[in-house]
Amino acid sequence: MTNPDFLSAAQDLFPYTRDLRRDFHMHPELGFREVRTAGIVARELRALGLEVSTGVAETGVVALLEGAHPGPTVLVRFDMDALPVTEETGAPYASQTEGLMHACGHDGHTAIGLTVARMLHARRADLRGTVKFVFQPAEEGLGGAARMVAEGVLENPRPRHTLALHLWNSAPLGWLGVAPGPVMAAAEFFRLRLRGRGGHGAIPDAAADPIVAAAQVVSALQSVVSRNVPPRETAVVSVTHIRAGETFNVIPPDALLEGTIRTFQPEVRETVLRRFREVVEGVSAAMGCRAEIEFMDYTPAVVNDPAVTALVRQAAAKVLPESHVESEYATMGSEDMAFMMQEVPGCYFFVGSANPEKGLDAPHHHPRFDFDERVLPRAAALMAQAVWEVVG
Ligand code: NI
């Protein structure tokens, strides 16, 4: 079986990929509302003659491509949703919807996914196994992946492996992040209500001041990472929101604190959550207040399977040999692809997409986020080749 030249194929398809990407970019849609986007995805996949399911987790699209030869099923996932950000790029293809923007590159991911489908479809006579294309809604914190898992995306057929990618503006074009082990953090959000006793600002001894308690809690929480997490491990505890009180001369009855916790290792997560509770409850009690602690929206870490990761590196060496491959890359960001990957081993990799000379290096979720579109054929070729390696 000849090895396909996916980079040439992807470069030939560049106008197709770029036009799709710009069209998605001009018409961003929030999570679970990707109706127009999903319609285009389904249309393009059906045009290839694939078996397409729509309405999976509201607006998700799943398609199966059967190779001519027997082999395993591999699931490849692309996310489709935009963000509630007002675009400031000034690009000719800027968002036409006020207040919404593809500020994370998921427009590119969707266009890449359709390009991969076209390339692999063109080589199906040589393809082994089955490729399950998953176009996921609502990656940005609304739980699209977990919903797709609940609706059976990992069954019929059950994939043996999973693959996913992210265009990555923290790194230039030519860079690849392909690392085994944890590459994106487990994330959860917390909400604390410190219940004290309100009173007159001039008579603090008759009150239990939740603002003083909140200040002590925020300071004391800094010791969880610095004193309880082993120095060679990694964790983040960030308090990002505080609200208490209304005016000068009233001690309020309670304070609200919110924030996020990020970890890579389950043991570290357990330690951080345990110490978090102990510190919050203990310090609050010492300040005469009672703490109510709520944890929400847990997303597990994205943990790459070493064997699948080695195959993606092999794919990169074949199709993008001049790349700089970073093999220990990880970010404290999180990604709900973790819900699929904790069931089915796989590899999640990063494709450098920034070009500082052209000013295309704003970070993800920024109003001026945009990437060098030359990354599109590179990413599509790498994903197609990765599928080729994984189905063997
Ligand atoms: Ni993203």
Side-chain angles (χ1 to χ4, degrees):
M1 196 188 306
T2 57
N3 192 71
D5 181 353
F6 285 121
L7 187 58
S8 297
Q11 274 156 353
D12 290 346
L13 283 169
F14 180 55
Y16 170 79
T17 317
R18 183 196 52 209
D19 289 353
L20 280 171
R21 181 265 160 159
R22 292 186 173 191
D23 180 61
F24 295 137
H25 196 87
M26 282 192 280
H27 302 99
E29 296 172 300
L30 287 178
F32 293 128
R33 296 185 208 162
E34 306 92 332
V35 174
R36 182 183 182 280
T37 307
I40 293 167
V41 167
R43 180 192 77 202
E44 291 300 307
L45 296 169
R46 285 195 177 111
L48 298 175
L50 305 193
E51 184 191 326
V52 177
S53 311
T54 56
V56 183
E58 307 279 350
T59 43
V61 180
V62 179
L64 292 177
L65 170 62
E66 307 267 359
H69 306 277
T73 297
V74 57
L75 181 156
V76 285
R77 179 284 222 162
F78 305 92
D79 44 9
M80 303 189 289
D81 56 328
L83 285 157
V85 171
T86 299
E87 180 155 359
E88 295 172 10
T89 63
Y93 47 86
S95 169
Q96 296 184 353
T97 308
E98 181 67 31
L100 293 191
M101 177 188 176
H102 269 293
C104 198
H106 301 184
D107 51 341
H109 300 169
T110 308
I112 288 164
L114 292 172
T115 306
V116 172
R118 271 183 95 147
M119 290 194 293
L120 290 173
H121 178 261
R123 300 301 304 238
R124 67 194 179 287
D126 294 330
L127 181 69
R128 292 181 205 277
T130 301
V131 187
K132 187 179 244 188
F133 288 93
V134 173
F135 290 84
Q136 183 202 308
E139 188 280 324
E140 300 285 2
L142 294 170
R147 189 73 190 276
M148 289 193 105
V149 172
E151 293 192 18
V153 76
L154 299 180
E155 308 304 327
N156 304 318
R158 172 93 174 166
R160 187 187 290 177
H161 295 302
T162 53
L163 291 169
L165 59 72
H166 210 299
L167 301 181
W168 209 238
N169 254 28
S170 311
L173 206 63
W175 175 95
L176 299 172
V178 189
V183 294
M184 291 187 102
E188 50 224 300
F189 299 105
F190 59 80
R191 179 175 294 143
L192 308 178
R193 289 182 202 281
L194 306 187
R195 306 286 187 195
R197 190 168 60 252
H200 198 294
I203 315 174
D205 50 304
D209 189 343
I211 291 182
V212 173
Q216 305 272 4
V217 163
V218 173
S219 294
L221 281 176
Q222 306 312 308
S223 72
V224 175
V225 172
S226 71
R227 302 291 87 179
N228 302 128
V229 172
R232 294 175 67 89
E233 300 288 349
T234 309
V236 175
V237 178
S238 289
V239 179
T240 56
H241 180 202
I242 297 187
R243 200 179 68 221
E246 303 284 346
T247 188
F248 298 105
N249 55 358
V250 178
I251 292 170
D254 45 37
L256 173 80
L257 292 83
E258 294 181 322
T260 186
I261 293 174
R262 308 284 166 121
T263 51
F264 283 124
Q265 303 293 346
E267 319 82 70
V268 173
R269 176 171 179 256
E270 257 175 58
T271 301
V272 169
L273 293 187
R274 177 176 54 77
R275 285 299 295 152
F276 182 92
R277 276 185 185 285
E278 289 168 359
V279 166
V280 170
E281 286 169 358
V283 172
S284 299
M287 296 294 119
C289 295
R290 185 171 51 82
E292 292 168 8
I293 304 175
E294 196 185 335
F295 292 110
M296 298 160 283
D297 297 333
Y298 169 62
T299 302
V302 173
V303 182
N304 281 344
D305 178 77
V308 181
T309 304
L311 292 172
V312 174
R313 288 179 60 102
Q314 191 172 305
K318 285 183 184 171
V319 83
L320 301 172
E322 84 305 343
S323 299
H324 170 71
V325 184
E326 193 169 332
S327 54
E328 287 189 6
Y329 186 74
T331 162
M332 296 313 285
S334 73
E335 157 65 85
D336 71 354
M337 181 64 196
F339 284 104
M340 298 190 198
M341 292 176 64
Q342 69 179 2
E343 308 262 334
V344 179
C347 179
Y348 187 103
F349 55 94
F350 303 86
V351 185
S353 55
N355 186 337
E357 277 112 72
K358 291 190 185 166
L360 300 171
D361 60 348
H364 293 266
H365 296 202
H366 190 280
R368 286 197 294 282
F369 173 82
D370 199 1
F371 54 81
D372 189 324
E373 287 178 322
R374 287 179 296 168
V375 74
L376 295 170
R378 293 174 55 82
L382 177 54
M383 184 56 97
Q385 185 70 42
V387 169
W388 204 262
E389 304 293 332
V390 168
V391 296

